[in-house]
Amino acid sequence: MITTEEEKFLVWWQANRVYKKKVLGYLAAGLPLGVIMAGTIFFTYFSNWYKRAVPLINMRPTGVLVVLIGLLLIIIFMVVFSARHKWEMHEQRYQELLSKRDLR
């Protein structure tokens, strides 16, 4: 026997499961976390709080470019990973509730 909340989740996920697997669904799920992580790394990198690292950073002109590419890769990874994780968790709950509903 499933509750009304579980039934609402079944209806919602049945309607949204295809959308959440697309790119826009990915962006909605993981972009804020990725931007927050990259923003903190960016701030730490340019705040010069570690004085001995500044000469090493400025030794090569491509250092900033490498950091920016790394931050972009971190954002992309966080978007894809968190969205896939969230989608898998919802799908697992959906499948469990379907089997629970079919048993009654």
Side-chain angles (χ1 to χ4, degrees), residues 24-70:
L24 288 177
Y26 275 27
L27 289 176
L31 190 61
L33 180 62
V35 169
I36 288 172
M37 285 185 63
T40 56
I41 292 169
F42 187 77
F43 175 74
T44 304
Y45 181 76
F46 288 108
S47 67
N48 295 331
W49 65 272
Y50 186 52
K51 300 298 181 196
R52 289 176 44 190
V54 175
L56 294 175
I57 292 170
N58 295 328
M59 187 182 302
R60 293 198 174 104
T62 59
V64 175
L65 181 64
V66 170
V67 170
L68 292 177
I69 291 172

Side-chain angles (χ1 to χ4, degrees), residues 1 4 7 9 13 17 20 22 31 35 39 46 52 55 58 62 65 68 76 83 89 91 95 98 100:
M1 181 106 187
T4 57
E7 189 66 39
F9 174 77
W13 188 244
R17 70 193 287 200
K20 295 289 185 180
K22 293 183 180 178
L31 190 61
V35 169
F46 288 108
R52 289 176 44 190
N58 295 328
T62 59
L65 181 64
L68 292 177
I76 291 170
M89 295 299 288
E91 185 67 19
Q95 295 296 333
L98 276 181
K100 186 177 174 182

Side-chain angles (χ1 to χ4, degrees), residues 3-21:
T3 65
T4 57
E5 181 182 320
E6 293 171 338
E7 189 66 39
K8 287 179 185 178
F9 174 77
L10 283 173
V11 171
W12 174 80
W13 188 244
Q14 202 167 22
N16 290 316
R17 70 193 287 200
V18 174
Y19 167 74
K20 295 289 185 180
K21 193 144 180 142

